[in-house]
């Protein structure tokens, strides 16, 4: 099974995009999502812990996101979760990535003007 | 349990927004999401059936969406699914609504310029 | 896009299963999911409205569920949401179905003894 | 935002459960979920990479799961994703955990006999 996930958070690094030798656009950025929970004792909403993700993008989504998003903006990301163990000569660790299906600005926190791409398919 | 759902689709009616007598902004629009599936016989992606939803919005999200989205635009919506039976003097039926948590333009199909709202909280 | 959804609820009708002339096992049951929300005024959890779904099952899942679930049991269902308009000579309406990917008993409310099927693939 | 996630996978370690000094039942197990994808060149479904999670359980769910699941069984887990950075004197790393809302056996791969707990609430 592929784990589908939807994350609402903030762009923590400016998105990058590049074209591979085979002509495929690929890019990524870091995404931070902080839990908000209602604290009954305080009778108020408080910040919880933060989930960090690397968001990987392909094709038209990668170029459109690089042209649209910047660090600090609130976004909505949906895609497939990839939890991977990695290892190099010096260290090992766990990466937590989302292969994005699509991405949009979070309109609870602002407005957006959209320009539909012409003559292209995603 | 509240059923969380994320839908990628197209805005089928221009979003409305209004302010209730108690001062709460509320709005809605119709959303169409068409399944795409890979047909092995045709060796191609083909359109499947369409899911239709009424998307309900509240507070700042409602006013921001009314200022940002228009009919025909591709969007990403996340929220809680509400399947309700209704009945009036003449008819009865089933409504399928999403109480939106947030909404954004679908950046696989275009670019967007974002303006963060100032001095407001969602 | 296919809308993935996970629902926790109660089996409202005993699951059925049958084999089509082409040899495919198919079955279904009705599922009710009632929202629980924390009411700040009452300082207590209260029942909200109920979402109703028809759950459709195929192949081994259909026969296993018919042998395992009965009306009134708590379950967890994950699959794809299908909102469909239907019409016959007399009436029209909206159906809300889940094409189940898988189903299990909800272990917050009891224990289960599992028998793995042998020599079969799902 | 809390990231809701549903994972279908296999129990990789026997679930544990214990009662804290304050009387709360808590437990956990490791869960492995392997992606299956249709390879167009091979015209067959093939195994992809594996996502690993630690599943944390509380209260009645923890005791019921410890009595119901064992290593190697197929399960369905729904809950909230927690991606956490950790550090001790010697090492640091990333943990990927699910705070389970509920869990059930995956009935695509077998049958289950359910015993509803009596006189208890989850």
């Amino acid at each position: 099974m592929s784990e589908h996930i939807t994350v609402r958070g903030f762009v923590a690094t400016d998105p990058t995009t590049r074209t591979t030798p085979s002509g495929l656009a690929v890019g990524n950025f870091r995404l931070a999502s902080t839990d908000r929970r209602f604290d009954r004792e305080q009778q108020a909403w408080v910040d919880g812990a933060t989930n960090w993700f690397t968001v990987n993008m392909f094709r038209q989504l990668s170029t459109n996101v690089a042209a649209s998003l910047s660090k600090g903006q609130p976004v909505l990301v949906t895609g497939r979760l990839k939890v991977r163990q990695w290892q190099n000569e010096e260290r090992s660790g766990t990466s937590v990535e989302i292969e994005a299906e699509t991405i949009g600005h979070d309109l609870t926190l602002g407005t957006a003007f959209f320009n539909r791409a012409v003559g292209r398919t995603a």
Side-chain angles (χ1 to χ4, degrees), chain A residues 72-102:
Chain A
Q73 289 184 338
V75 288
L76 180 61
V77 175
T78 194
R80 290 159 185 248
L81 183 71
K82 310 278 181 182
V83 180
R84 297 291 174 262
Q85 311 302 318
W86 56 266
Q87 191 167 8
N88 61 24
E89 292 180 359
E90 295 175 356
R91 294 191 303 169
S92 64
T94 301
S95 69
V96 182
E97 306 190 351
I98 298 172
E99 188 179 311
E101 182 179 346
T102 193

Side-chain angles (χ1 to χ4, degrees), chain A residues 50-91:
Chain A
T50 298
N51 283 352
W52 287 89
F53 302 94
T54 295
V55 178
N56 291 317
M57 312 174 289
F58 299 93
R59 291 177 285 275
Q60 198 62 40
L61 178 62
S62 185
T63 53
N64 289 342
V65 164
S68 304
L69 296 192
S70 55
K71 187 177 166 180
Q73 289 184 338
V75 288
L76 180 61
V77 175
T78 194
R80 290 159 185 248
L81 183 71
K82 310 278 181 182
V83 180
R84 297 291 174 262
Q85 311 302 318
W86 56 266
Q87 191 167 8
N88 61 24
E89 292 180 359
E90 295 175 356
R91 294 191 303 169

Side-chain angles (χ1 to χ4, degrees), chain A residues 12 22 29 38 41 52 61 75 92 115 118:
Chain A
S22 64
F29 64 92
F38 188 76
E41 291 192 6
W52 287 89
L61 178 62
V75 288
S92 64
N115 280 294
V118 180

